[in-house]
Amino acid sequence: MINYNKTREIGINILRRWILIFLVGEIVFFSIVGTNYFSLKNLQNILVASTTVLLLATGETFVIITGGIDLSIGFMVGFSSVVSAKVMVDLWTAGFSQPVAIMIGILAALLLGLIPGFINGFLVAKLRVPPFIATFGMYGIAYGFAEIICNNVPIHGLPTSLGSLGHGYLFYWLPGKLFSFLSWPENLSREELKHLVSIVPNVTIITFIFIGIFAFILAKTKFGQHTYAIGGNINAAERAGVNVKAHLIKVYMISSFFASLAGVMYVLRFITGRAPAGSARLLDAVVAVVIGGASLSGGKGTIMGTVIGALIIGVLEIGLVNLSIPTYNLHIAVGCILIFAVLVDQFSPELIHKEEEIG
Amino acid sequence: MEPILEVKNITKRFGGLTAVDNLDMQIYPGEVVGILGDNGAGKSTLIKVISGVYQADAGQIFFEGRRIKISNPMEALKIGIETIYQDLALAENMNVYSNVFLGREKLKKFLNFIDILDHDYMLKESKKVLNRLDINIPSLKNKISTLSGGERQAVAISRSIYWNAKLLIMDEPTAALGVAEQKKVLNLVNTLSSQGVSIIIISHQMHDVFSVATRLLIMRRGKKVAERITKKTNADEVVGLIVGSLPGDYIEAIEEKR
């Protein structure tokens, strides 16, 4: 005899975790069909390739939970990449040492990147401009400024040590011979280089440190709680004494901070600054957030879900490359997953969302 | 006995419209007062002045004998005036105890230096206040969106009570409820009143107001036209006062009639 309740419970648990199951399924699928897909090297490649989407989507999650949307992040990546590249090149040619030029370049981009977020937040919270319009305006403005700063050409001639930072790993391991932390082992023979195992890309570490911090903030702190409250019922939050306007400004600043960070990561990875860098990733970021369980009407979503959403896209993208399938097919697949995600959310029984600690 | 709330000569204008006109009112501890009036009589404006949403253009407010100025809703909350609006102001995407503590979350230290939410404390305290008011909600971890209208009303009331409301203002508390739930909410009003909380109820459902309020205040066109002890009046008289077919007790009202 079939136990109805038990079956139902299993069904609910599957639906609840469908994105995780989907992600695992994707990896299994490509591992079977692809060549060398399931290898440490390739999995790390997926993480690195997902950097921009992961970062953009994390910031976007905060905005979407409040019921808004931030479209400016697409070109904020380019803006920030151009700013940090330009500062690095100028300082280095002016005679500063490489580490100083790199540090100041990164800081300049991250600090300057907070300004568009502040303006977005101010427009949305204080002047009641719809988020779509405010951030879409900023999308164009950021792109224009980026092009002005770089004179329409990608910025080259960056400090040479950027490469070891952007393409470096946390550990290098030569089985039985050598274990090195953070620094590239010198004097290896060609044969040894073949067997050298590099573990955890720097870019990925930085990305997940920031994602981790903000996941904690969203899930565990008063700030996170108020973010959900604003998305659930902005009037209720206001009447309960939440400073909604200040909170929204901070949320848009978080989003632009993550976009700037993505721009900096772009410079580390590609050793160049380009105005259109990452602009194609805007849509992927929003899709990742929605796949991750957030609703565009606000009040729902988690960073964990968003990360899984971003990885679903990354795994698929590298998978298609692995199978030599043209990447424009990616858009078709991502589109289908997005619609599927929304459908699951729409038709899943209320029970799935019933008991939750947060929000 | 000293009134917990006394308003004197309160006037509130919106441009050329006088929404509340030179109104006096006293509320005593543990008392349930119903404010009745037609649409546009000024009931909502009056309670918004008391709860700090609007500032009066003239008049004084005394709370527990002291003259006070309420310039925003937060100040009203701080001195113990809580308002439950028709829309209840609950975040439906959040669970019961998070709503009870919304805006006033209980925090604890994580690793000795980061403030994080203390879910256990908030859950425990919310349970206590719901028990005190005899409210049954299956799990306080349930989201508001899974609760019935009456349960939501109960959550909103519990929130006010937890934060030591001395005066609770309820705007149409039974409007969206089924019959059985209306009864529960009215019972809850009686429970609160017996625990010493003063309550102002605004409602179109005259039957509700009659069943819980000890005193009635009738408004028409921004003015107080009459005050009645519930037991010493009846629905016919009150309706007459509301629509203006009875003159009311105050000179201005009579003059207006002429």
Side-chain angles (χ1 to χ4, degrees):
Chain A
M1 208 178 82
I2 298 162
N3 184 332
Y4 172 75
N5 276 332
K6 193 100 190 169
T7 325
R8 183 182 159 81
E9 204 173 296
I10 292 169
I12 285 169
N13 276 326
I14 289 175
L15 264 183
R16 216 173 179 167
R17 295 184 179 77
W18 78 268
I19 51 166
L20 190 58
I21 294 164
F22 191 95
L23 176 63
V24 172
E26 260 185 359
I27 297 172
V28 170
F29 173 80
F30 286 116
S31 302
I32 296 167
V33 214
T35 37
N36 281 332
Y37 191 84
F38 197 80
S39 63
L40 181 66
K41 194 167 174 227
N42 193 50
L43 293 182
Q44 294 189 145
N45 279 345
I46 293 170
L47 288 173
V48 173
S50 306
T51 303
T52 307
V53 177
L54 278 168
L55 289 171
L56 292 183
T58 300
E60 188 75 85
T61 305
F62 280 80
V63 177
I64 286 181
I65 289 175
T66 66
I69 191 154
D70 188 353
L71 300 177
S72 68
I73 55 173
F75 279 127
M76 280 295 302
V77 178
F79 176 75
S80 147
S81 82
V82 169
V83 167
S84 64
K86 178 89 178 158
V87 171
M88 285 178 199
V89 170
D90 286 357
L91 287 180
W92 193 37
T93 48
F96 285 88
S97 71
Q98 288 205 22
V100 172
I102 291 172
M103 276 313 291
I104 295 179
I106 291 174
L107 283 177
L110 293 183
L111 287 177
L112 221 55
L114 294 175
I115 297 171
F118 178 82
I119 297 171
N120 283 337
F122 189 85
L123 289 172
V124 170
K126 300 257 189 191
L127 305 181
R128 297 182 185 279
V129 179
F132 191 96
I133 303 298
T135 60
F136 198 46
M138 190 55 69
Y139 174 87
I141 294 167
Y143 178 62
F145 272 110
E147 288 288 19
I148 291 171
I149 293 169
C150 72
N151 266 330
N152 273 321
V153 283
I155 296 176
H156 290 297
L158 279 86
T160 44
S161 58
L162 263 183
S164 60
L165 194 61
H167 297 147
Y169 286 78
L170 189 60
F171 304 110
Y172 298 94
W173 182 44
L174 195 57
K177 266 201 172 159
L178 159 163
F179 192 88
S180 152
F181 179 68
L182 269 177
S183 58
W184 174 254
E186 306 281 341
N187 309 324
L188 289 182
S189 69
R190 202 168 266 252
E191 191 55 30
E192 282 172 324
L193 271 179
K194 249 190 194 165
H195 295 285
L196 185 71
V197 187
S198 310
I199 306 166
V200 200
N202 289 342
V203 172
T204 301
I205 299 166
I206 301 168
T207 300
F208 276 94
I209 285 174
F210 280 98
I211 290 175
I213 291 170
F214 281 84
F216 181 86
I217 290 173
L218 184 60
K220 299 284 180 197
T221 69
K222 197 167 158 175
F223 186 89
Q225 190 84 338
H226 290 175
T227 307
Y228 284 105
I230 289 172
N233 186 339
I234 192 163
N235 293 326
E238 192 134 39
R239 280 192 219 145
V242 176
N243 189 341
V244 170
K245 288 176 180 165
H247 195 98
L248 281 175
I249 291 176
K250 286 180 203 161
V251 163
Y252 280 89
M253 286 173 82
I254 288 174
S255 178
S256 72
F257 171 78
F258 270 98
S260 306
L261 190 60
V264 168
M265 292 299 133
Y266 185 92
V267 175
L268 293 186
R269 284 164 61 205
F270 300 106
I271 327 289
T272 177
R274 283 174 60 238
S279 60
R281 292 306 193 174
L282 166 63
L283 195 65
D284 289 346
V286 175
V287 170
V289 178
V290 174
I291 294 175
S295 146
L296 286 177
S297 51
K300 270 173 62 184
T302 60
I303 300 292
M304 192 46 161
T306 295
V307 166
I308 296 173
L311 292 179
I312 283 177
I313 297 172
V315 165
L316 190 61
E317 186 175 355
I318 301 290
L320 294 182
V321 173
N322 188 290
L323 299 179
S324 312
I325 296 170
T327 42
Y328 52 74
N329 290 295
L330 178 71
H331 301 299
I332 298 173
V334 168
C336 292
I337 298 171
L338 173 67
I339 292 168
F340 182 65
V342 174
L343 285 177
V344 168
D345 187 58
Q346 204 98 303
F347 293 103
S348 60
E350 188 62 26
L351 261 174
I352 296 183
H353 313 290
K354 211 174 177 187
E355 274 205 10
E356 267 164 51
E357 276 268 293
I358 317 294
Chain B
M1 195 164 43
E2 188 183 73
I4 185 163
L5 176 84
E6 181 166 22
V7 301
K8 283 185 181 165
N9 309 326
I10 287 288
T11 298
K12 175 69 191 171
R13 293 185 200 92
F14 295 103
L17 175 84
T18 307
V20 176
D21 192 355
N22 205 19
L23 185 136
D24 291 335
M25 172 173 80
Q26 294 88 33
I27 312 286
Y28 292 90
E31 192 184 27
V32 182
V33 175
I35 300 182
L36 295 161
D38 210 348
N39 288 338
K43 307 178 304 261
S44 293
T45 308
L46 175 64
I47 62 159
K48 281 179 177 164
V49 167
I50 299 170
S51 60
V53 176
Y54 296 146
Q55 281 19 264
D57 294 314
Q60 297 116 41
I61 302 175
F62 297 87
F63 195 74
E64 296 180 316
R66 280 182 303 120
R67 172 141 189 219
I68 51 161
K69 194 172 166 350
I70 310 170
S71 41
N72 62 55
M74 270 327 269
E75 283 180 20
L77 294 181
K78 270 183 203 138
I79 59 173
I81 301 176
E82 293 264 356
T83 310
I84 298 174
Y85 292 96
Q86 231 169 313
D87 65 3
L88 299 181
L90 297 171
E92 295 193 7
N93 61 329
M94 299 172 84
N95 63 34
V96 173
Y97 71 79
S98 294
N99 269 283
V100 170
F101 278 83
L102 182 57
R104 296 176 273 204
E105 289 81 2
K106 166 76 179 168
L107 303 173
K108 62 179 179 188
K109 289 285 177 205
F110 174 71
L111 301 176
N112 273 327
F113 74 102
I114 304 170
D115 283 328
I116 62 167
L117 299 168
D118 191 342
H119 290 284
D120 297 335
Y121 179 89
M122 293 193 279
L123 178 62
K124 200 180 70 201
E125 289 292 305
S126 304
K127 258 186 195 148
K128 266 194 224 163
V129 66
L130 266 75
N131 286 339
R132 196 182 118 196
L133 300 177
D134 280 328
I135 300 166
N136 274 317
I137 289 176
S139 165
L140 301 194
K141 288 183 176 181
N142 281 1
K143 289 188 175 183
I144 299 294
S145 55
T146 65
L147 304 185
S148 72
E151 287 170 334
R152 290 175 197 208
Q153 186 73 245
V155 172
I157 294 171
S158 310
R159 172 164 67 186
S160 322
I161 297 311
Y162 182 77
W163 295 102
N164 291 320
K166 293 171 190 158
L167 172 64
L168 189 60
I169 303 169
M170 301 173 85
D171 188 3
E172 301 282 355
T174 55
L177 304 182
V179 178
E181 297 220 295
Q182 288 183 7
K183 198 143 177 69
K184 275 187 196 161
V185 169
L186 296 176
N187 285 338
L188 192 49
V189 169
N190 283 327
T191 310
L192 292 174
S193 148
S194 69
Q195 294 181 5
V197 180
S198 308
I199 295 161
I200 297 176
I201 285 194
I202 291 186
S203 179
H204 277 95
Q205 322 244 36
M206 203 137 40
H207 175 76
D208 291 354
V209 181
F210 266 76
S211 69
V212 291
T214 48
R215 203 149 54 87
L216 305 173
L217 193 145
I218 295 112
M219 289 180 75
R220 192 167 72 231
R221 297 197 191 170
K223 294 189 171 79
K224 178 166 87 173
V225 291
E227 244 182 279
R228 294 282 182 273
I229 303 294
T230 313
K231 282 179 189 155
K232 295 184 182 164
T233 185
N234 56 54
D236 287 342
E237 187 191 14
V238 171
V239 171
L241 290 164
I242 290 173
V243 299
S245 60
L246 290 175
D249 303 348
Y250 299 94
I251 300 163
E252 297 96 324
I254 297 167
E255 277 175 350
E256 184 200 32
K257 187 77 183 155
R258 282 174 190 157

